[in-house]
Amino acid sequence: MIDEEKVEKAVLWLTENAGTSANARATRIYLDEYRKSLKALIMKEHLDKPVSAQEREALAHPKYIAHLEELKKAVFNDENMRALRTGAEAKIEAWRTKQANIRAIKI
């Protein structure tokens, strides 16, 4: 059962981890957007080649691949924080429903 102590812990967790959660989301979005800039910067190093070859060089470049690994970590962190937030919010909502049901029975 969801008791008040668990609800308080969930609310406290949400409050204490708001910054961490926001940072995970911001990092994910930044890395996703920077991926496009990084590709363009690497393509710029190969201006002597056709555009399709520039793109191939950029997508195969170690810096780009390393960036994708960082993006993968950022997506995991963001999704993990989102799942934890959803779980905490579900606990709070279940407790609210329980309290409403108790009030309804008393009436």
Side-chain angles (χ1 to χ4, degrees):
M1 289 306 276
I2 304 286
D3 57 18
E4 286 188 39
E5 183 180 337
K6 288 180 183 176
V7 172
E8 287 176 15
K9 284 182 181 180
V11 171
L12 184 62
W13 187 89
L14 286 169
T15 304
E16 290 177 346
N17 288 284
T20 303
S21 182
N23 187 52
R25 182 78 174 146
T27 300
R28 176 185 185 171
I29 291 170
Y30 171 78
L31 288 175
D32 192 40
E33 293 299 318
Y34 182 70
R35 176 182 50 84
K36 300 167 196 170
S37 298
L38 180 60
K39 179 180 171 185
L41 291 169
I42 297 170
M43 286 177 70
K44 194 174 170 183
E45 295 173 4
H46 302 280
L47 291 175
D48 57 321
K49 298 178 182 174
V51 173
S52 60
Q54 290 175 25
E55 185 173 15
R56 181 190 66 230
E57 294 296 323
L59 295 176
H61 197 282
K63 285 182 182 177
Y64 190 82
I65 293 169
H67 180 76
L68 291 177
E69 285 298 319
E70 290 303 311
L71 180 57
K72 178 182 173 182
K73 292 175 190 174
V75 169
F76 174 83
N77 288 337
D78 183 33
E79 290 298 320
N80 187 54
M81 289 302 294
R82 187 173 67 82
L84 292 171
R85 279 192 320 269
T86 300
E89 291 166 353
K91 283 180 188 176
I92 294 166
E93 191 56 37
W95 180 82
R96 283 181 183 161
T97 300
K98 178 183 169 187
Q99 296 304 309
N101 290 340
I102 290 170
R103 283 192 302 275
I105 290 169
K106 289 180 181 177
I107 293 177

